[in-house]
Coordinates of all heavy atoms in Angstrom, one line a residue:
G359 N -7.5 4.2 -5.3 CA -6.6 5.4 -5.2 C -7.3 6.7 -4.7 O -6.7 7.7 -4.4
E360 N -8.7 6.6 -4.6 CA -9.4 7.7 -4.0 C -10.2 7.2 -2.8 O -10.3 6.1 -2.5 CB -10.5 8.1 -5.1 CG -10.0 8.6 -6.4 CD -11.0 8.9 -7.4 OE1 -12.2 8.9 -7.1 OE2 -10.6 9.1 -8.6
G361 N -10.6 8.1 -2.0 CA -11.4 7.8 -0.9 C -10.7 7.2 0.3 O -11.2 6.4 1.0
H362 N -9.4 7.6 0.5 CA -8.7 7.2 1.7 C -8.1 8.4 2.4 O -7.8 9.4 1.7 CB -7.6 6.1 1.3 CG -6.6 6.6 0.4 ND1 -6.7 6.4 -0.9 CD2 -5.5 7.3 0.6 CE1 -5.6 6.9 -1.5 NE2 -4.8 7.5 -0.5
W363 N -7.9 8.3 3.7 CA -7.4 9.4 4.4 C -6.7 8.9 5.7 O -7.1 7.9 6.2 CB -8.4 10.5 4.7 CG -9.5 10.0 5.6 CD1 -9.6 10.2 6.9 CD2 -10.7 9.2 5.2 NE1 -10.7 9.7 7.5 CE2 -11.4 9.1 6.4 CE3 -11.2 8.7 4.1 CZ2 -12.6 8.3 6.5 CZ3 -12.4 8.0 4.1 CH2 -13.1 7.8 5.3
V364 N -5.8 9.7 6.2 CA -5.2 9.4 7.5 C -6.1 9.9 8.6 O -6.5 11.1 8.6 CB -3.8 10.1 7.6 CG1 -3.2 9.9 9.0 CG2 -2.9 9.5 6.5
V365 N -6.4 9.1 9.6 CA -7.2 9.5 10.7 C -6.3 10.0 11.8 O -6.5 11.0 12.3 CB -8.1 8.3 11.2 CG1 -8.9 8.6 12.5 CG2 -9.1 7.8 10.1
E366 N -5.4 9.1 12.3 CA -4.4 9.5 13.3 C -3.3 8.4 13.4 O -3.5 7.3 13.0 CB -5.1 9.8 14.6 CG -5.7 8.5 15.4 CD -6.3 8.9 16.7 OE1 -5.6 9.4 17.6 OE2 -7.5 8.6 16.8
D367 N -2.3 8.8 14.1 CA -1.2 7.9 14.5 C -1.2 7.7 16.0 O -1.4 8.7 16.8 CB 0.2 8.5 14.1 CG 0.4 8.7 12.6 OD1 -0.3 7.9 11.8 OD2 1.0 9.6 12.2
L368 N -1.0 6.5 16.4 CA -1.0 6.1 17.8 C 0.3 5.4 18.1 O 0.9 4.7 17.3 CB -2.2 5.3 18.2 CG -3.5 6.0 18.0 CD1 -4.7 4.9 18.1 CD2 -3.7 7.1 19.0
D369 N 0.7 5.4 19.4 CA 1.9 4.7 19.9 C 1.6 3.3 20.2 O 2.6 2.5 20.1 CB 2.4 5.4 21.2 CG 2.8 6.8 20.9 OD1 3.4 7.1 19.9 OD2 2.6 7.7 21.9
D370 N 0.4 2.9 20.4 CA 0.1 1.5 20.8 C -0.7 0.8 19.8 O -1.8 1.3 19.4 CB -0.6 1.5 22.2 CG -0.9 0.2 22.7 OD1 0.0 -0.4 23.3 OD2 -2.1 -0.3 22.6
A371 N -0.2 -0.4 19.3 CA -1.0 -1.1 18.3 C -2.3 -1.6 18.7 O -3.3 -1.5 18.0 CB -0.1 -2.3 17.8
E372 N -2.4 -2.1 19.9 CA -3.7 -2.6 20.4 C -4.7 -1.5 20.6 O -5.9 -1.7 20.2 CB -3.5 -3.3 21.8 CG -3.0 -4.7 21.7 CD -3.1 -5.4 23.1 OE1 -4.1 -5.3 23.8 OE2 -2.1 -6.0 23.4
E373 N -4.3 -0.4 21.0 CA -5.2 0.8 21.1 C -5.7 1.2 19.8 O -6.9 1.5 19.5 CB -4.5 2.0 21.8 CG -5.4 3.2 21.9 CD -4.6 4.4 22.5 OE1 -3.5 4.2 23.0 OE2 -5.2 5.5 22.5
A374 N -4.8 1.2 18.8 CA -5.1 1.6 17.4 C -6.1 0.6 16.8 O -7.1 1.1 16.2 CB -3.9 1.7 16.6
I375 N -5.9 -0.7 17.0 CA -6.8 -1.7 16.4 C -8.2 -1.6 17.1 O -9.2 -1.7 16.4 CB -6.2 -3.1 16.6 CG1 -5.0 -3.2 15.7 CG2 -7.2 -4.2 16.2 CD1 -4.1 -4.4 16.1
K376 N -8.2 -1.4 18.4 CA -9.5 -1.3 19.1 C -10.3 -0.1 18.5 O -11.5 -0.2 18.3 CB -9.3 -1.2 20.6 CG -9.0 -2.5 21.2 CD -8.8 -2.3 22.7 CE -8.3 -3.6 23.4 NZ -8.0 -3.4 24.8
K377 N -9.6 1.0 18.4 CA -10.2 2.3 18.0 C -10.7 2.1 16.5 O -11.9 2.5 16.2 CB -9.3 3.4 18.1 CG -9.9 4.8 17.8 CD -8.9 5.9 18.2 CE -9.7 7.2 18.2 NZ -8.9 8.3 18.7
A378 N -9.9 1.5 15.7 CA -10.3 1.4 14.3 C -11.4 0.4 14.1 O -12.3 0.6 13.3 CB -9.1 0.9 13.4
T379 N -11.4 -0.7 14.9 CA -12.5 -1.6 14.8 C -13.8 -1.0 15.2 O -14.9 -1.2 14.6 CB -12.2 -2.9 15.7 OG1 -11.0 -3.5 15.2 CG2 -13.3 -3.9 15.7
L380 N -13.8 -0.2 16.3 CA -15.0 0.5 16.8 C -15.5 1.5 15.7 O -16.7 1.6 15.5 CB -14.7 1.1 18.1 CG -15.9 1.9 18.7 CD1 -17.0 1.0 19.0 CD2 -15.5 2.6 20.0
M381 N -14.5 2.2 15.1 CA -14.9 3.2 14.1 C -15.6 2.5 12.9 O -16.5 2.9 12.4 CB -13.7 3.9 13.7 CG -13.1 4.9 14.7 SD -11.5 5.6 14.3 CE -12.0 6.8 13.1
T382 N -15.0 1.3 12.5 CA -15.6 0.5 11.4 C -17.0 0.1 11.8 O -17.9 0.2 10.9 CB -14.7 -0.6 11.0 OG1 -13.4 -0.1 10.6 CG2 -15.3 -1.4 9.9
K383 N -17.1 -0.5 13.0 CA -18.5 -0.9 13.4 C -19.5 0.2 13.4 O -20.6 0.1 12.9 CB -18.4 -1.5 14.8 CG -17.8 -2.9 14.8 CD -17.7 -3.5 16.2 CE -17.0 -4.8 16.2 NZ -16.9 -5.4 17.5
N384 N -19.1 1.3 13.9 CA -20.0 2.5 13.9 C -20.4 3.0 12.5 O -21.5 3.4 12.3 CB -19.4 3.6 14.8 CG -19.5 3.3 16.2 OD1 -20.2 2.6 16.7 ND2 -18.5 4.0 17.0
A385 N -19.4 3.0 11.7 CA -19.6 3.5 10.3 C -20.4 2.6 9.4 O -21.1 2.9 8.5 CB -18.3 3.8 9.6
S386 N -20.3 1.3 9.8 CA -21.0 0.2 9.0 C -22.3 -0.3 9.5 O -22.8 -1.3 8.9 CB -20.0 -0.9 8.8 OG -18.8 -0.5 8.3
K387 N -22.8 0.3 10.6 CA -24.0 -0.3 11.2 C -25.2 -0.3 10.3 O -26.1 -1.1 10.5 CB -24.3 0.3 12.5 CG -24.6 1.8 12.5 CD -24.7 2.4 13.9 CE -24.8 3.9 13.8 NZ -24.7 4.6 15.1
D388 N -25.2 0.6 9.3 CA -26.4 0.6 8.4 C -26.1 0.1 7.0 O -26.8 0.4 6.0 CB -26.9 2.1 8.3 CG -27.4 2.7 9.6 OD1 -28.0 1.9 10.4 OD2 -27.2 3.8 9.9
V389 N -24.9 -0.7 6.9 CA -24.5 -1.2 5.6 C -24.7 -2.6 5.6 O -24.3 -3.3 6.5 CB -23.0 -0.8 5.4 CG1 -22.5 -1.4 4.1 CG2 -22.9 0.8 5.4
D390 N -25.1 -3.2 4.4 CA -25.4 -4.6 4.3 C -24.1 -5.4 3.9 O -24.0 -6.6 4.1 CB -26.5 -4.9 3.4 CG -27.9 -4.4 3.9 OD1 -28.0 -4.4 5.1 OD2 -28.7 -4.1 3.1
N391 N -23.2 -4.8 3.1 CA -22.1 -5.5 2.7 C -20.8 -4.6 2.7 O -20.9 -3.4 2.6 CB -22.3 -6.1 1.3 CG -22.5 -5.1 0.3 OD1 -21.6 -4.4 -0.1 ND2 -23.7 -5.0 -0.3
S392 N -19.7 -5.2 2.6 CA -18.4 -4.5 2.7 C -18.2 -3.6 1.5 O -17.3 -2.7 1.5 CB -17.3 -5.5 2.9 OG -17.2 -6.4 1.8
K393 N -18.8 -3.9 0.3 CA -18.5 -3.1 -0.9 C -19.0 -1.6 -0.7 O -18.6 -0.8 -1.5 CB -19.2 -3.7 -2.1 CG -18.5 -5.0 -2.5 CD -19.2 -5.6 -3.6 CE -18.6 -7.0 -3.9 NZ -19.4 -7.8 -4.8
D394 N -20.0 -1.4 0.2 CA -20.6 -0.1 0.4 C -20.1 0.6 1.7 O -20.5 1.6 2.1 CB -22.1 -0.1 0.5 CG -22.7 -0.6 -0.9 OD1 -22.1 -0.3 -1.9 OD2 -23.7 -1.4 -0.8
A395 N -19.2 -0.1 2.4 CA -18.8 0.3 3.7 C -17.6 1.3 3.8 O -16.9 1.5 2.8 CB -18.3 -0.9 4.5
T396 N -17.6 2.1 4.8 CA -16.4 2.8 5.2 C -15.7 2.0 6.3 O -16.3 1.6 7.2 CB -16.8 4.1 5.8 OG1 -17.5 4.9 4.8 CG2 -15.5 5.0 6.2
I397 N -14.4 1.7 6.0 CA -13.7 0.9 7.0 C -12.5 1.7 7.5 O -12.0 2.7 6.9 CB -13.2 -0.4 6.4 CG1 -12.3 -0.2 5.2 CG2 -14.4 -1.3 6.0 CD1 -11.6 -1.4 4.6
F398 N -12.0 1.3 8.6 CA -10.8 1.9 9.2 C -9.8 0.8 9.5 O -10.2 -0.2 10.2 CB -11.2 2.6 10.5 CG -12.2 3.8 10.2 CD1 -13.5 3.6 10.1 CD2 -11.7 5.0 9.9 CE1 -14.3 4.6 9.8 CE2 -12.5 6.1 9.6 CZ -13.8 5.9 9.6
C399 N -8.6 0.9 9.0 CA -7.6 0.0 9.1 C -6.3 0.5 9.8 O -6.0 1.7 9.6 CB -7.2 -0.6 7.7 SG -8.6 -1.3 6.8
V400 N -5.6 -0.4 10.5 CA -4.4 0.0 11.1 C -3.2 -0.6 10.4 O -3.2 -1.8 10.1 CB -4.3 -0.4 12.6 CG1 -3.1 0.0 13.3 CG2 -5.5 0.2 13.4
Y401 N -2.2 0.1 10.1 CA -0.9 -0.3 9.5 C 0.2 0.1 10.4 O 0.3 1.1 11.0 CB -0.8 0.3 8.2 CG -1.8 -0.3 7.2 CD1 -3.0 0.3 7.0 CD2 -1.5 -1.4 6.4 CE1 -4.0 -0.1 6.1 CE2 -2.5 -1.9 5.5 CZ -3.7 -1.3 5.4 OH -4.6 -1.8 4.5
D402 N 1.3 -0.8 10.4 CA 2.5 -0.4 11.0 C 3.5 0.3 10.0 O 3.1 0.4 8.9 CB 3.2 -1.6 11.7 CG 3.7 -2.6 10.8 OD1 3.8 -2.4 9.5 OD2 4.0 -3.8 11.2
E403 N 4.6 0.7 10.5 CA 5.6 1.4 9.7 C 6.1 0.6 8.5 O 6.7 1.2 7.5 CB 6.7 2.0 10.5 CG 7.6 0.8 11.1 CD 8.6 1.3 12.1 OE1 8.2 1.8 13.2 OE2 9.8 1.2 11.8
N404 N 5.9 -0.7 8.5 CA 6.4 -1.6 7.4 C 5.3 -1.9 6.4 O 5.5 -2.6 5.5 CB 7.0 -2.8 7.9 CG 8.2 -2.6 8.8 OD1 9.1 -1.9 8.4 ND2 8.2 -3.2 10.0
G405 N 4.1 -1.3 6.6 CA 3.0 -1.5 5.7 C 2.2 -2.8 6.0 O 1.4 -3.2 5.2
N406 N 2.4 -3.4 7.2 CA 1.7 -4.5 7.6 C 0.3 -4.1 8.1 O 0.2 -3.3 9.0 CB 2.4 -5.3 8.7 CG 3.7 -5.9 8.2 OD1 3.8 -6.5 7.1 ND2 4.8 -5.6 8.9
Y407 N -0.7 -4.8 7.6 CA -2.1 -4.6 8.1 C -2.2 -5.3 9.4 O -1.9 -6.4 9.5 CB -3.1 -5.2 7.1 CG -4.5 -5.3 7.6 CD1 -5.3 -4.1 7.7 CD2 -5.0 -6.5 8.1 CE1 -6.6 -4.2 8.3 CE2 -6.2 -6.6 8.6 CZ -7.1 -5.5 8.7 OH -8.3 -5.6 9.2
L408 N -2.7 -4.5 10.4 CA -2.8 -5.1 11.8 C -4.3 -5.4 12.2 O -4.5 -6.2 13.1 CB -2.1 -4.2 12.8 CG -0.7 -3.9 12.6 CD1 -0.2 -2.9 13.6 CD2 0.1 -5.2 12.5

Side-chain angles (χ1 to χ4, degrees):
E360 299 175 7
H362 62 265
W363 65 97
V364 174
V365 176
E366 71 178 298
D367 296 329
L368 297 170
D369 294 324
D370 183 81
E372 279 188 49
E373 179 185 352
I375 293 166
K376 285 180 186 177
K377 188 169 189 173
T379 301
L380 180 61
M381 292 170 73
T382 300
K383 286 180 182 177
N384 287 338
S386 302
K387 62 185 170 191
D388 296 324
V389 176
D390 292 331
N391 66 67
S392 62
K393 292 178 185 168
D394 297 326
T396 299
I397 61 171
F398 296 88
C399 300
V400 178
Y401 291 90
D402 68 12
E403 65 189 65
N404 297 313
N406 297 312
Y407 167 76
L408 302 179

